[in-house]
Amino acid sequence: MRREDAVYFYTRFFKKHDCTLVAVSTDKEYASLAGDKDFSDKYEKYSTDMEVIGCDVIGWDISVFHSFLCNSLHKRFDGLKFSRYGLLDADRSVAKNIASEIQGKGEPVDWIPVEICKPDIT
């Protein structure tokens, strides 16, 4: 949950491998669903030095997150584009609309729109 811990762990164990450190953020209204009891403007605090690499709609299911792609729920929407990372190539509002439309469909989870960013850790 702490940026500093993520950067340390990435630098120590994964930087020399073909891995990318990412940050996942959501709007305050979804933070408690994502298990973040202390959201407190984390997105606004860190977003200025991050490259947005896409969005997703994720659900928490038995101690693990998974994408709305797992249930092929993306097929309900025409014209969606995906980035080279397999993420929605759209802004947060599109992910939010999708999350709203798929509530109660697929896995029995709360669907949460998220933005995926790549922090500058140089």
Side-chain angles (χ1 to χ4, degrees):
M1 297 304 290
R2 289 176 7 110
R3 177 188 174 116
E4 297 79 14
D5 293 340
V7 170
Y8 169 79
F9 197 82
Y10 168 79
T11 303
R12 172 91 197 235
F13 299 106
F14 293 100
K15 191 171 185 173
K16 58 185 163 194
H17 302 287
D18 188 22
C19 297
T20 300
L21 179 66
V22 298
V24 179
S25 66
T26 191
D27 296 331
K28 285 183 183 183
E29 64 193 274
Y30 298 100
S32 65
L33 297 175
D36 192 346
K37 306 282 188 261
D38 183 33
F39 188 70
S40 66
D41 298 323
K42 289 177 188 171
Y43 174 74
E44 290 82 4
K45 181 177 177 185
Y46 294 131
S47 63
T48 56
D49 69 343
M50 292 193 237
E51 169 193 358
V52 175
I53 59 173
C55 291
D56 203 345
V57 181
I58 59 174
W60 178 256
D61 186 20
I62 311 173
S63 77
V64 68
F65 284 108
H66 58 92
S67 172
F68 78 125
L69 299 172
C70 298
N71 293 274
S72 297
L73 295 173
H74 64 289
K75 293 179 179 180
R76 297 173 173 267
F77 304 92
D78 292 328
L80 292 181
K81 294 186 167 109
F82 294 88
S83 72
R84 65 186 178 125
Y85 299 104
L87 299 168
L88 278 170
D89 190 10
D91 65 26
R92 293 165 77 101
S93 65
V94 172
K96 192 171 182 175
N97 289 337
I98 291 171
S100 176
E101 290 290 322
I102 64 172
Q103 291 301 332
K105 297 177 176 64
E107 301 288 334
V109 297
D110 290 313
W111 292 108
I112 304 165
V114 295
E115 186 174 64
I116 312 297
C117 299
K118 187 176 174 183
D120 179 10
I121 58 169
T122 56

